[in-house]
Amino acid sequence: MAIPDWPAPERPREKLLQKGATALSDTELLAIFLRTGITGKSAVDLARDLLKHYGSLTKLFAANQDSFCQLHGMGSAKYAQLQAVMEMSRRALAEELENKNAMNSPRLVRDFLRLSLANKEHEVFIGIFLDAQNHVITSEELFSGTLTQASIYPREVVKHALLHNAAAMIFAHNHPSGTAEPSHADKVLTQSLKQALALIDVKVLDHFIIGSGTTLSFAEHNLI
């Protein structure tokens, strides 16, 4: 049965308008994004198939263009729409962070970092620069590729911290393998950065590792 033939309270769009977005399932929200289905399948059916194929919304958002566009009913236009939605969400979170104490908004920081890093196919290292009130000045992608202590130069991070007149920093990088467990190299690198930044009175408040659907905080695990 086509969605227009459903009872009005059960249609995803009408349900959202009546009860709010939080009342909808992942499938229903995705169906609204897709807008239309394909021959023999409604938008809800197509959304259900997508979630079954990828396993979760997080993994769907992390899909690369080739993988996404190979699926029946998808294409470059839908992929572009998906990336635009994600980028708008990331920018909205970044704007919100600028007006809040980052250390008092741990969930907001995590959400911003997940949107920034979770869909990367290679390792990316981000620095969040904070002022004396822990408000976000800016965030920058500092390094990418295979991240090791040798490939991330503390002096370069120090230069960026001085450029932004930062009083503190939060670091984050992703593990494309999926696990958010810190390696020995991750721990050594964090301590090296902490020591280098201490010389210019910049505090390192945390280092997050973003995995597949999981996030680890060095501060919460007493690793910093």
Side-chain angles (χ1 to χ4, degrees):
M1 182 186 297
I3 292 177
D5 296 328
W6 294 10
E10 295 180 15
R11 300 173 197 161
R13 188 178 300 142
E14 283 77 2
K15 185 177 178 180
L16 184 149
L17 293 173
Q18 291 177 4
K19 298 182 179 181
T22 57
L24 274 64
S25 66
D26 290 351
T27 298
E28 290 171 323
L29 289 169
L30 187 55
I32 291 175
F33 166 78
L34 294 172
R35 294 181 57 215
T36 60
I38 57 177
T39 303
K41 289 187 177 182
S42 68
V44 171
D45 295 328
L46 196 54
R48 190 178 294 114
D49 288 348
L50 278 172
L51 289 174
K52 183 178 179 180
H53 178 83
Y54 285 107
S56 68
L57 281 174
T58 300
K59 291 180 179 179
L60 168 61
F61 293 153
N64 61 39
Q65 184 174 356
D66 289 341
S67 167
F68 184 86
C69 292
Q70 285 175 4
L71 298 175
H72 186 49
M74 298 300 103
S76 57
K78 280 286 191 292
Y79 183 79
Q81 286 177 243
L82 185 63
Q83 296 305 306
V85 168
M86 291 175 61
E87 181 60 18
M88 285 190 291
S89 299
R90 190 196 66 78
R91 292 186 188 187
L93 288 173
E95 288 175 4
E96 192 173 353
L97 268 176
E98 290 177 4
N99 300 311
K100 291 187 177 182
N101 183 313
M103 299 311 291
N104 292 337
S105 310
R107 183 172 181 178
L108 186 60
V109 173
R110 287 172 185 266
D111 289 345
F112 169 75
L113 291 172
R114 276 197 293 264
L115 279 175
S116 299
L117 293 171
N119 65 336
K120 302 291 186 182
E121 296 182 352
H122 55 276
E123 287 190 72
V124 173
F125 190 85
I126 282 180
I128 300 178
F129 301 85
L130 309 170
D131 64 17
Q133 287 74 46
N134 291 334
H135 292 165
V136 175
I137 299 170
T138 190
S139 64
E140 286 186 3
E141 181 180 308
L142 298 173
F143 304 96
S144 65
T146 301
L147 302 182
T148 66
Q149 188 183 7
S151 65
I152 297 178
Y153 303 104
R155 67 176 179 271
E156 292 297 322
V157 178
V158 168
K159 284 169 60 177
H160 284 264
L162 289 170
L163 176 66
H164 295 298
N165 195 27
M169 289 194 68
I170 294 172
F171 295 113
H173 76 278
N174 62 316
H175 280 178
S177 62
T179 176
E181 288 300 313
S183 65
H184 175 69
D186 292 334
K187 296 175 184 178
V188 171
L189 171 62
T190 303
Q191 291 306 315
S192 296
L193 291 170
K194 184 178 178 181
Q195 291 167 12
L197 288 164
L199 297 175
I200 58 169
D201 294 322
V202 174
K203 297 178 181 179
V204 176
L205 302 180
D206 209 340
H207 184 171
F208 290 91
I209 297 178
I210 311 300
S212 178
T214 58
T215 303
L216 180 137
S217 158
F218 273 50
E220 290 179 2
H221 287 76
N222 298 313
L223 296 173
I224 201 165

